[in-house]
Structures are given as structure tokens and as C-alpha cells.
Amino acid sequence: MRQNSANEKPHAKGFYGTVEAIGNKIPNPMIFFVWFCVIIILASWICSSISLSAVNPATGETAEVYNLLSREGIARMLTSMVSNFQSLSVLGPVLTCMFGVGICERSGLFRIALQKIVESSNGSDLKVIIVFCFVSVMADAAGGVGYVIMPVLGASIFATMGRNPLAGALCGYATVSGAMCANLLLTSMDVTNYSFTAAAAQLVDPSYSASPAINWYFAAFSVVILTAASVVITMKFVEPRLAARQGTVQAQRNVEKLTPEENRAVRNALISVLIYAVVLLVGMLPSEGILRDPETGGLFVAAAPLMKGLPFLIALLFFIPGVVFGLSCGTFQNSTDVVNALGDCMKDMGSFVALCFVMAQFLKYFEWSNLAIIVAIRGAELLKSSGLPMLIILILFILLSGFMNLFIGSASAKYGLIASVFVPMFMLMGYDPALTQMCYRIGDAFTNPITPAFAYFAMLLSLCKQHDKDFGFGTLMANMLPYTIGFFLCFVVQMCIWFVCQIPLGPGGGILY
């Protein structure tokens, strides 16, 4: 009988092992999205030939499949490749944030800061992981920035504690992405969602008016639930599975005492952060602060300079202390060293940029073909006509939102369509628009950890490969599935309790209308 060689990895068994084995047969993510492009192009040709269509309830217009293989479609694809790439919203924020994160990493500030975290934990890994998961939940308020920072930070924290860095990276990404319906703060997504909810509700009741905080009670309580779920899933499910893998670059727990120069550099970096925070507060606190919306005075609204400039402001939050630390402890001797470090940061992002080019084409082809809209409309109509009890309908609605999230990355695009169907429908059944919005947010959150349409997902895979060169797409999916399943169960149970007990979802947002 053939014996396994020393270099072979043991095959995982069971459901997750099957997912990993199948998924690892999928090629490199760039090739994966090339296949997606081909599939969408062919599907548009087939569906247009059978005149597949659906009525868009938001506009009353009929959405018909656009044939990408038509003469016009081919010309459109050929002439729009560059503009498609330029319009990919994820690219700019990721690269901007990586300037700051990269400087922090190359200056050594990350390592020293993480070392201090381990020292302050008094040997308690659990306390460090709980704090990390909580911060990851709150990082969702920063939008795409959290997807970039927390996996890198998690890998470093876990490695510093002598644990598997892959578990830290996966935990950070899953927790940030699962926090779409959990935060102690009101975010720009609250404002965006409410605008769609209010417009849809006014189709039934023109006098309807509430506030972007209609889900805040539920979202704030979900922070505790999500933090606890993420800690348990990481330590009880993900880490044991990863422990069986060979070849992972591990780090031994080795916390050395900081030198006087390092302590001084950390103090200088902290002072720089405090000065930066004061500058931000000066722009935020006054009623006419420069970071507020000049028209409404709002701070956490989409038009406010604070929200528009958030990726750059976050990058500065890392860049400034990173430079100060590097110059203080000698990692950087002069400005040339800082510039060279910035160049090194971008070298690591080369494969990600190439992937973004292909991904941008896929997303545009899917949008142009109208297949995404038609699938969403047909799914909504099917759910509406099911005739099931309301609680079951809500759970199916959450599942539909989660399924759509696997293919349509834009949260506002999905909810703009969903709200026009389900908000009026549920209002006519006697339920508050806040309930519809909250269920959508749950659906949009629990599948985020396994949504391959996110460019951040490919970035996570690249990060994992730095620690395990054989870490494939299937391995990533298999190890993220426990988060998706766990988050779904936790959020649905919480929603059912809220529904049965008729607990208010937020100020002005209840269960019954």
C-alpha cells in the first residue's frame, strides 16, 4: 500500500474537508473570474435569445437581458476595459490604506505594539482575542478600511501569541465582514439603508418618517453577540482545523523586553497619534467644522468630508505614527527610507491589482447584462408568493438577501431593489419598515465571509498564502464557512427573540407598524 510522504498534507474529512477538496480544484482567483466573465457573456446570449425579462418594481420598467455577444455588446466590452478598471471602487481605498499599514509594518511599530498587547494580557490569550474581535466588529464603521487592516493585524497578533497566524487573519476578516448589522456607532450604511427604506415606505404611507437609527438597539446588542460568536468559532472550530495543516509559517511566543530606544519611539508615536486625534476633533466637534457636511452640518453622512475622506484619514492614522516611530528608533534614517518603504508596500499588492482588473470586467458584465436584476426580481416574487408564516418568511428573506450577496457586492444596489418590494409588502402585512431593513442587514452580513465577489476576499487569500503557500481557494472557503453558519444562527435566533417579544429595533423602529 502506498505510504504518505513526509511532505504530504493529511486529507481533511467530513463536510468541511469535502468543501476544501472541491474548492481547491478551483484555479487561481484571476482565472476564476475569467471563467465568470465567460459564463456571464454566454448566459446573456442564451437568456436574450429566449427573451428572459422581469418588471423592475422600483421603476415599473421591464428589465430585459442585454446580449453581450451582440455587435454593440462586443464593442462595449472592448472599449470599456480601462474605464471598468478605473471605476472599481475597492481599488483606491485598499491601496491608500496600505500606504499607512505598510509603513507601520516596515517601521516595526506593529511588532512593538503587538508585543505590548501580549505583555498587557498577563498571559491571557483569551483576553487578547476578545479585545481583537470587538475591535474588528467596530472596524466595520470604517467601511472597506476594516477589511484591509484587521486580517493583517489579526495574523500578527496571533503569531505574536504563538498561535496560528492564519486563524488571526480569518478571524479578523470574518468578524469585520459579519458586522454589517452590528455596531455601537451609526455608520454611513445606516444612513444609506434608511434612505431606501423611507422612500419605499412612503409608497404605502406618504407620511412615514423615522431616522437612520431605526436599527440601532438591535445593532448595538449584536456587537456582544458577534464578538462572542467570533471568539468561540475561532478557538473551537477554525484553529483546531488549521492545526492539522503542515507547512504553515508559525511564530513562537517570544516576548522580549523593549529597549529604552523602542520605548521612547513608542511614546513619540503615541504622542503623534494624540496630536492627530486633536486635529480631527477640531474638524469634527464645532457645528461648522471642516469635516462636517457644509449644507446640513452632519458628521456621519455620506456627503460629509469625514466620510468621503475616511480611507485617507485612516491611512494617516497609521502612516504618521509609523514614520515617527521609524525615525525615532532608527528603522528609517531619512525620507528616502520612508519612500522606499512605500514602494515595497506596493510591490506586495501587485497580484491584487492584477486581480482587480479582471474582477472589474466581471462586475460590469454582470451589471450590463441585467441578469443580476432579473434574478433578484424573480427571487423576490417567489418569496412573496410563498404563503408561509411571517417568521418563516423573514428567515427566507434573510436567506434570499444572503444568497444575492454572493453575487452582488454592492449593499446599496441590493437594498435599493429589495426595499421597493419587501418594505411595502411587509407594511401592508402590518410590520414596521425597520424590521425589513434589519432582516436585510442580517442577510447581507452572514454571507460576507464567504462572498468571492468581494475584492477583499482575494486579498485575504493572498495574505493566507504568505503564511501557507498551499492555502487554496477551497481551504479558505472551508475555514470561513463556520463563521457564516455560526453568524447566521446567532443573528436569526436574536431576530426571532426580538420578533416574538416585539422588542424595539431602534428609536422610531419597532416590529409592528
Side-chain angles (χ1 to χ4, degrees), residues 251-466:
Q252 299 299 319
R253 188 183 187 113
N254 182 23
V255 181
E256 300 177 354
K257 188 175 181 179
L258 299 182
T259 65
E261 291 77 13
E262 289 173 332
N263 276 313
R264 184 179 68 253
V266 169
R267 183 173 61 251
N268 292 341
L270 180 59
I271 292 173
S272 72
V273 171
L274 293 176
I275 295 173
Y276 179 62
V278 170
V279 173
L280 289 181
L281 290 174
V282 169
M284 294 166 59
L285 295 181
S287 59
E288 296 184 358
I290 192 173
L291 294 179
R292 292 180 176 270
D293 184 349
E295 295 184 2
T296 65
L299 188 60
F300 300 105
V301 296
L306 175 67
M307 302 308 295
K308 286 186 174 181
L310 197 57
F312 179 68
L313 294 176
I314 294 294
L316 285 180
L317 180 63
F318 287 89
F319 180 84
I320 292 173
V323 171
V324 170
F325 178 87
L327 294 175
S328 298
C329 70
T331 307
F332 299 146
Q333 297 296 328
N334 48 47
S335 59
T336 301
D337 290 342
V338 176
V339 173
N340 290 337
L342 288 174
D344 291 338
C345 299
M346 291 302 101
K347 288 179 183 178
D348 295 339
M349 300 299 292
S351 59
F352 171 72
V353 173
L355 173 63
C356 282
F357 178 81
V358 180
M359 186 178 296
Q361 312 310 319
F362 160 73
L363 294 175
K364 282 297 183 181
Y365 296 169
F366 202 30
E367 175 187 339
W368 294 343
S369 68
N370 284 330
L371 288 171
I373 294 177
I374 292 174
V375 169
I377 293 172
R378 292 295 178 88
E381 291 173 348
L382 178 64
L383 190 56
K384 183 177 179 180
S385 62
S386 63
L388 295 171
M390 188 60 189
L391 194 56
I392 301 300
I393 289 178
L394 290 176
I395 295 175
L396 290 175
F397 173 54
I398 290 172
L399 290 171
L400 173 64
S401 300
F403 178 75
M404 290 174 60
N405 187 48
L406 296 174
F407 306 99
I408 307 174
S410 172
S412 57
K414 288 191 298 290
Y415 191 55
L417 177 64
I418 286 177
S420 62
V421 177
F422 289 100
V423 169
M425 181 182 74
F426 290 165
M427 285 181 69
L428 293 172
M429 296 171 67
Y431 296 96
D432 196 283
L435 178 62
T436 309
Q437 179 177 296
M438 192 67 249
C439 289
Y440 161 74
R441 292 179 65 176
I442 293 174
D444 196 40
F446 85 90
T447 53
N448 272 344
I450 59 169
T451 299
F454 283 175
Y456 305 109
F457 194 78
M459 185 191 69
L460 176 64
L461 180 58
S462 299
L463 175 63
C464 291
K465 283 182 174 293
Q466 295 177 18

